[in-house]
Amino acid sequence: MDFASLLGIISGLALIISAIFLGGNADVFLNVPGLMIVAGGTIAATLLTVQFKDVLNAFKAAWIVFTRDNTNPQEMIDTMLELSRVSHRHGLLKLGDVESDSHVLKRACNLLSEAASEQVIRNTLQNEIDSLIARHHSVQDVFRKMAAYAPAFGMLGTLIGLIQMLSQLSNPETIGPAMAVALLTTFYGSLLATMMFLPIAGKLHARTLTEVTNLEIIREGCISILTNDHYMHVYEQLASYLPEAQRKPIKIGRKQQQPPAAKPAAKAAANPVKERA
């Protein structure tokens, strides 16, 4: 699981729950009708706005983001340097035998092995980038809409509670508890929006930026390999996608300049490229 996400969820919930218990009776913060209004209303409004499959895809994507680590751009640069080494040793045709967990990288290797033109490779991978951005935007939009609907339904629940409270003004003893119950729905809506929906949308957006960077590295790396650039030149072009502090320097040996921290191809977790025997 992503450590930052786990830390954020635990620390945020711990602080809120601690504040509730330190403030007095925690039972007053539980109101089933208020939860029904906020949670049920938010889900209903979201389903009215987007298709049901889009909502399911959004929650599936959120689960993947919070449970799986994304490929680091530095690892993708190392992968492209390894592919450059393979192409120089065995030719572009050998890249067709490369196996990868990334379907985009596998597709790019197939295009290289088939001697596709630079324009074909550039257009194909750019289409992959554009479609990824579009898919991820629709997923993020679901959580942004839910973040907007939750506080609105919280206010709606508060209005319902206030109406019920005002109908019983003849009994002053019920005004205080009724007011507390009315305000709980606003609390539920704000909590769901700020602690759940908006952070998930932000995490998905950050993951999208990383994945787009990886695809751009694949695109530019494949074009450099196609033009038979030396892998030192490949590295110089791809390193610009990383902040300077995160770039690994190329080690220059006696025989050949080696890519930074090149890992064996058999380690699919660190380097998704594997050559078939």
Side-chain angles (χ1 to χ4, degrees):
M1 184 175 184
D2 182 71
F3 178 75
S5 303
L6 179 63
L7 180 62
I9 292 174
I10 293 177
S11 60
L13 291 177
L15 290 172
I16 294 173
I17 294 174
S18 298
I20 291 174
F21 276 96
L22 291 175
N25 187 8
D27 294 338
V28 299
F29 285 88
L30 181 61
N31 182 257
V32 176
L35 286 173
M36 292 172 58
I37 292 173
V38 176
T42 300
I43 294 174
T46 304
L47 291 176
L48 284 172
T49 307
V50 299
Q51 296 183 7
F52 181 73
K53 64 177 183 179
D54 293 333
V55 177
L56 289 180
N57 291 334
F59 281 96
K60 288 179 182 178
W63 174 256
I64 292 174
V65 165
F66 283 93
T67 55
R68 298 182 188 177
D69 292 329
N70 198 16
T71 303
N72 188 286
Q74 180 61 62
E75 296 179 359
M76 186 57 68
I77 291 176
D78 293 344
T79 297
M80 299 311 298
L81 292 173
E82 180 68 16
L83 292 178
S84 176
R85 182 190 65 82
V86 171
S87 67
H88 276 89
R89 286 188 176 182
H90 307 288
L92 291 176
L93 188 61
K94 184 65 175 179
L95 297 180
D97 297 333
V98 169
E99 295 181 353
S100 174
D101 297 331
S102 171
H103 76 280
V104 177
L105 182 59
K106 177 61 179 175
R107 187 179 183 185
C109 289
N110 289 336
L111 289 173
L112 288 173
S113 66
E114 294 168 0
S117 66
E118 176 181 340
Q119 193 62 37
V120 170
I121 294 176
R122 186 179 296 276
N123 290 341
T124 300
L125 297 183
Q126 185 60 47
N127 289 338
E128 290 281 357
I129 294 173
D130 294 339
S131 63
L132 180 141
I133 293 175
R135 291 193 307 270
H136 286 207
H137 177 76
S138 63
V139 169
Q140 298 164 27
D141 193 51
V142 170
F143 288 103
R144 292 195 185 98
K145 284 182 170 59
M146 296 180 76
Y149 293 145
F153 277 98
M155 184 58 65
L156 180 62
T158 297
L159 293 176
I160 294 174
L162 289 176
I163 293 172
Q164 293 174 344
M165 181 192 70
L166 292 175
S167 65
Q168 299 179 0
L169 282 179
S170 58
N171 188 2
E173 295 180 357
T174 63
I175 294 178
M179 186 65 181
V181 171
L183 292 176
L184 273 178
T185 54
T186 300
F187 169 74
Y188 293 149
S190 299
L191 180 64
L192 287 175
T194 58
M195 193 63 208
M196 183 175 178
F197 299 139
L198 285 177
I200 290 176
K203 179 66 74 172
L204 289 171
H205 178 67
R207 178 62 68 92
T208 298
L209 294 179
T210 302
E211 292 191 18
V212 168
T213 300
N214 287 335
L215 293 186
E216 289 177 345
I217 290 173
I218 292 175
R219 182 190 62 196
E220 298 304 321
C222 287
I223 293 173
S224 297
I225 293 173
L226 181 66
T227 55
N228 202 29
D229 288 345
H230 191 271
Y231 66 81
M232 180 66 178
H233 299 160
V234 175
Y235 171 75
E236 292 297 337
Q237 294 185 57
L238 301 183
S240 60
Y241 285 96
L242 295 176
E244 188 173 356
Q246 298 180 12
R247 299 174 188 174
K248 293 182 181 179
I250 288 269
K251 295 181 180 179
I252 302 177
R254 292 182 179 179
K255 294 183 178 180
Q256 196 177 28
Q257 297 168 333
Q258 297 296 328
K263 298 178 179 60
K267 283 191 174 182
N271 188 340
V273 176
K274 295 181 288 185
E275 293 183 45
R276 293 176 182 170

